[in-house]
Amino acid sequence: MHEAGAAQAIVGILTAEAEARGATRVSCVRVVAGEAGAYMEESLAFYLGFFAKGGPVEGARLELRLVKPRMRCRACGQEFERVHFSFACPGCGGEAEVADLGQEFYIESADFEGVEAPCAEAGNRACV
Ligand SMILES: [Zn+2]
């Protein structure tokens, strides 16, 4: 159930960000996760709703994008997405090694609502 910890972290970051921007709510959050992390979208959405209760992130829509592990061919250097359980390079058929485990997990972007402060205002953190 590592989705619980991940969801809690997302809510914490977005709540702080919403406060910093003066936003009333977060309508959508886009998260990128490596396939190797084995994150379940339904589970993540569930915990997101749980931890977001009563805050600006409540009701935010979750868009989870899974990225596959990247492979790099030892012979020709070509990078490609790992296909099934093959390590063979699609270019030359040579043996490839894992270039990127696909264990990343981060917030790609989020939509904030109710940001009324104009960017011209001095010290407005929404402009950063
Ligand atoms: Zn190759």
Side-chain angles (χ1 to χ4, degrees):
M1 282 299 143
H2 57 321
E3 283 92 351
Q8 194 171 19
I10 291 170
V11 170
I13 291 165
L14 290 180
T15 300
E17 190 65 27
E19 278 170 12
R21 289 170 185 249
T24 52
R25 77 178 278 263
V26 179
S27 55
C28 180
V29 55
R30 293 167 207 89
V31 172
V32 173
E35 273 195 346
Y39 287 93
M40 302 291 294
E41 184 160 11
E42 296 79 19
S43 185
L44 200 57
F46 171 80
Y47 284 110
L48 206 60
F50 177 80
F51 289 112
K53 265 198 178 64
V57 190
E58 185 170 10
R61 187 162 46 90
L62 170 72
E63 284 179 16
L64 182 66
R65 188 160 64 87
L66 294 173
V67 291
K68 293 183 189 302
R70 302 283 305 171
M71 303 291 293
R72 186 185 298 115
C73 178
R74 282 183 186 144
C76 71
Q78 184 178 331
E79 278 199 23
F80 56 94
E81 272 189 4
R82 184 171 167 184
V83 187
H84 301 301
F85 294 99
S86 169
F87 280 68
C89 170
C92 70
E95 191 186 337
E97 60 192 357
V98 177
D100 180 346
L101 283 177
Q103 286 186 325
E104 53 269 85
F105 187 90
Y106 60 92
I107 298 169
E108 189 172 46
S109 63
D111 295 338
F112 296 90
E113 283 183 5
V115 181
E116 289 173 19
C119 283
E121 256 179 52
N124 185 350
R125 292 172 70 182
C127 298
V128 177

